[in-house]
Amino acid sequence: MHFDPQTTDISLDQPIRIFLVDDQLIVRRGLAMLFSTEPDLLVCGGAGRAAEAMLKIVQAQPHLVVVDLVLEEGDAFELINALRRNLPALKILVFSTHREPAFVVRAMRAGADDYVPKDEGPQKIIQTIRELIRKPEP
């Protein structure tokens, strides 16, 4: 598959390529295990720091990035903003323990496409990923 940073169009028979950004390795591994049970989801990389994530995302060519708001280094909101500016068609899903409306609003203003609290359960994140990628553009 050729990666075009201007589009995330993928055919229905292709897996959705997902990149994970979370400060906790165990969370990244847990999500990777969860997604590996779904035939249409494929984790193509992960990172715990903002700068590392930015470099690896360009190399990994994902369709969607799952971002936690707490990172080992760097600011998650700045990462989201930089991803939106540099890869405008990339889908960005925030997956965080923070449920407060201020965090949701700030993430969406930074450029996130959607926000799923971590306590919503595994099916919610899987469903949201599929909706973000598979929904037709207006």
Side-chain angles (χ1 to χ4, degrees):
M1 174 183 91
H2 172 70
F3 179 68
D4 179 354
Q6 301 305 313
T7 181
T8 55
D9 290 342
I10 59 173
S11 66
L12 293 177
D13 60 344
Q14 280 185 288
I16 300 169
R17 295 175 52 82
I18 303 166
F19 191 93
L20 306 172
V21 183
D22 195 293
D23 66 318
Q24 296 182 9
L25 178 59
I26 194 164
V27 172
R28 294 193 310 266
R29 287 189 178 166
L31 287 174
M33 287 178 60
L34 172 67
F35 297 157
S36 74
T37 66
E38 303 294 323
D40 62 330
L41 304 181
L42 174 69
V43 173
C44 62
R49 296 174 178 90
E52 171 191 21
M54 198 67 195
L55 291 172
K56 287 185 173 181
I57 288 167
V58 171
Q59 294 170 345
Q61 304 177 0
H63 300 112
L64 180 138
V65 176
V66 175
V67 181
D68 186 13
L69 294 180
V70 178
L71 302 177
E72 291 174 31
E73 275 180 26
D75 182 280
F77 298 106
E78 289 176 13
L79 173 63
I80 293 166
N81 188 269
L83 289 170
R84 180 59 57 227
R85 277 192 329 269
N86 295 307
L87 301 167
L90 180 68
K91 299 298 182 188
I92 302 168
L93 173 60
V94 173
F95 187 57
S96 177
T97 57
H98 297 288
R99 289 184 142 276
E100 299 85 356
F103 286 98
V104 177
V105 168
R106 189 169 173 206
M108 300 305 276
R109 284 186 180 153
D113 292 294
D114 211 333
Y115 194 108
V116 174
K118 285 185 177 179
D119 63 0
E120 294 255 338
Q123 286 309 309
K124 180 63 176 174
I125 191 169
I126 290 170
Q127 173 189 343
T128 304
I129 288 169
R130 288 179 176 141
E131 288 171 358
L132 283 173
I133 295 297
R134 304 288 189 208
K135 73 177 178 183
E137 294 295 324

